[in-house]
Amino acid sequence: MAVLPILKMGDPRLLRVAQRVRDFDTPGLHQLVQDLRDTMTAANGAGLAAPQIGVDQRVVLFGFRHNARYPEAEPVPETLLINPVIEVLDGADLEEGWEGCLSVPGLRGVVARPRRIRYRGQDLQGRPIEREAEGFHARVVQHECDHLDGLLYPMRVSDFRRFGFTEVLFPGLDAAGDED
């Protein structure tokens, strides 16, 4: 098990555009995926992108059955997505929702994102993946893919009256998970 440190906002590596994965089913890629899974699980994350652990590749892992950091969220299928592309579906309205991030510990903010998307990418062997998602599932995918383009969710917050410390905004929520 390799639980790696998660980079925090302010680290310039989080602001880079990640490089496309060209070689699949390699020992290095398998190790990266295991490191993402172990780190995400240990931090109780809804998702994790390779740049968050200092790896400059277009790889994200997301999904959970239940997440204590987002107790109201519906389950999201665990998905490894390499070289993702997101398409906003026709008629997809923007939906506001609270977001947090393991790279921005202890804070939450409201971000407007498209409610319905289609995402495409590749799996560990390079086979194509394509799914449609809506609601929290779509939010998680968009949030994680933002990391691949050097974006953190506070960059998308439009009203800083709805941005603050988790323990203040959500006093009944265990904010300890936001600290890892």
Side-chain angles (χ1 to χ4, degrees), residues 86-173:
I86 294 175
E87 173 190 352
V88 176
L89 294 177
D90 289 338
D93 297 324
L94 290 181
E95 179 177 69
E96 291 186 332
W98 288 96
E99 294 188 21
C101 181
L102 298 172
S103 291
V104 187
L107 295 168
R108 297 280 174 106
V110 171
V111 176
R113 295 193 186 268
R115 177 166 170 62
R116 292 181 47 243
I117 63 168
R118 176 177 294 120
Y119 60 90
R120 295 179 180 90
Q122 294 155 292
D123 70 8
L124 193 54
Q125 286 73 36
R127 296 179 299 233
I129 295 172
E130 181 175 331
R131 285 192 191 139
E132 290 185 11
E134 62 181 84
F136 194 75
H137 183 170
R139 178 171 300 281
V140 169
V141 175
Q142 292 171 81
H143 176 108
E144 296 310 327
C145 289
D146 270 356
H147 283 293
L148 305 179
D149 293 324
L151 297 171
L152 296 168
Y153 84 89
M155 297 169 177
R156 294 196 181 275
V157 171
S158 62
D159 181 354
F160 280 89
R161 292 174 295 183
R162 296 188 295 166
F163 178 76
F165 289 96
T166 306
E167 64 188 24
V168 174
L169 293 166
F170 303 99
L173 186 67

